[in-house]
């Protein structure tokens, strides 16, 4: 699951780029989420082919690549509120802002090398089910594994107030990354408080995520 999540996260980063949308679609602002995903699926391989070794040896450059393509079209603030769950109601705007930034940075560092695992044809965008909702929609895909088997991976999009579509969740075999991390974050907040968790994410980053995941597994 961590390896697949890495690939899924990397693909969401690519989805967030918007760089593969045809010029006429970008100008009109009428590209649907599945059109964006389909375009990115074709262009992601082009963006990394021949650069894997360079990016693997320069982690900060890899992170910058992810930042450049992810932040414009991934709704990290909304996703972070969902991850915080009930704790979001009692948190301050400053806490939510710090958590969003620290949580995103931790996720990006942990799964950055997943971007290097993407190869041409690895992701297949499936036909949409029903009409496009004017506020939220799911883009369904299949990830082709090394052994040829496929894994369902869906991407949740929402339309923001300015009319742009942004991705905010990844669902792998029915398991939402937001729900998964909400449980881990909730347990940490209950144990040590939100401020302590934010500080750990800011100072220890991906190690904090690893610790939370290990603790969750130990409690199962």
């Amino acid at each position: 699951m961590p390896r697949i999540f890495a690939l899924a996260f990397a693909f969401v980063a690519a989805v967030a780029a918007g760089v593969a949308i045809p010029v006429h679609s970008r100008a009109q602002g009428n590209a649907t989420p599945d059109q964006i995903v389909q375009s990115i699926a074709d262009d992601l391989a082009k963006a990394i082919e021949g650069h894997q070794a360079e990016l693997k040896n320069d982690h900060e450059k890899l992170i910058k690549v992810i930042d450049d393509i992810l932040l414009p079209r991934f709704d990290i603030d909304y996703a972070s509120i969902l991850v915080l769950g009930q704790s979001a109601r009692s948190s301050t705007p400053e806490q939510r802002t710090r958590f969003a930034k620290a949580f995103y940075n931790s996720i990006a560092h942990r799964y950055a090398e997943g971007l290097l695992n993407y190869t041409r044809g690895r992701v297949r965008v499936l036909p949409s089910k029903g009409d496009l909702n004017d506020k939220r929609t799911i883009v369904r895909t299949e990830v082709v594994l090394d052994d040829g088997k496929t894994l369902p991976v869906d991407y949740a999009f929402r339309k923001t107030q300015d009319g742009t579509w942004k991705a905010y969740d990844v669902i792998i075999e029915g398991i939402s990354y937001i729900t998964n991390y909400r449980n881990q974050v909730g347990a940490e907040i209950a144990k040590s408080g939100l401020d302590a968790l934010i500080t750990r994410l800011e100072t220890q980053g991906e190690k904090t995520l690893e610790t939370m995941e290990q603790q969750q597994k130990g409690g199962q």
Side-chain angles (χ1 to χ4, degrees), residues 64-109:
K64 186 178 186 305
V65 168
I66 292 177
D67 285 346
D68 289 344
I69 65 179
L70 177 59
L71 293 180
R73 294 294 297 278
F74 192 82
D75 200 336
I76 63 171
D77 292 328
Y78 181 69
S80 296
I81 288 175
L82 295 180
V83 169
L84 283 173
Q86 294 183 348
S87 297
R89 299 178 182 177
S90 58
S91 63
T92 66
E94 180 186 4
Q95 286 175 318
R96 291 193 293 272
T97 298
R98 287 179 60 202
F99 176 81
K101 181 179 180 181
F103 184 71
Y104 162 77
N105 286 337
S106 300
I107 289 284
H109 278 78

Side-chain angles (χ1 to χ4, degrees), residues 8-171:
F9 172 79
F11 191 67
V12 166
V15 169
V19 296
I21 304 174
V23 173
H24 62 85
S25 296
R26 189 186 302 117
Q28 296 173 6
N30 59 1
T32 62
D34 61 319
Q35 289 172 334
I36 296 173
V37 173
Q38 183 63 67
S39 296
I40 293 298
D42 295 335
D43 284 12
L44 178 57
K46 298 177 185 177
I48 64 174
E49 282 178 349
H51 301 285
Q52 289 95 334
E54 174 190 357
L55 294 174
K56 188 172 184 177
N57 292 328
D58 191 340
H59 195 72
E60 291 308 311
K61 185 173 183 178
L62 177 58
I63 293 297
K64 186 178 186 305
V65 168
I66 292 177
D67 285 346
D68 289 344
I69 65 179
L70 177 59
L71 293 180
R73 294 294 297 278
F74 192 82
D75 200 336
I76 63 171
D77 292 328
Y78 181 69
S80 296
I81 288 175
L82 295 180
V83 169
L84 283 173
Q86 294 183 348
S87 297
R89 299 178 182 177
S90 58
S91 63
T92 66
E94 180 186 4
Q95 286 175 318
R96 291 193 293 272
T97 298
R98 287 179 60 202
F99 176 81
K101 181 179 180 181
F103 184 71
Y104 162 77
N105 286 337
S106 300
I107 289 284
H109 278 78
R110 173 144 202 202
Y111 296 106
E113 290 195 11
L115 181 62
L116 304 178
N117 294 331
Y118 184 80
T119 56
R120 193 181 306 277
R122 177 66 59 112
V123 174
R124 300 170 181 168
V125 180
L126 303 178
S128 300
K129 288 185 176 180
D131 297 330
L132 177 65
N133 186 294
D134 62 352
K135 291 185 179 180
R136 295 175 189 269
T137 193
I138 297 290
V139 177
R140 300 183 307 123
T141 75
E142 288 180 340
V143 175
V144 182
L145 306 180
D146 294 339
D147 60 4
K149 295 180 181 179
T150 59
L151 190 73
V153 179
D154 300 336
Y155 301 91
F157 280 79
R158 70 189 288 261
K159 185 175 284 189
T160 60
Q161 292 183 347
D162 63 3
T164 60
W165 285 101
K166 291 190 176 184
Y168 67 90
D169 196 7
V170 183
I171 303 98

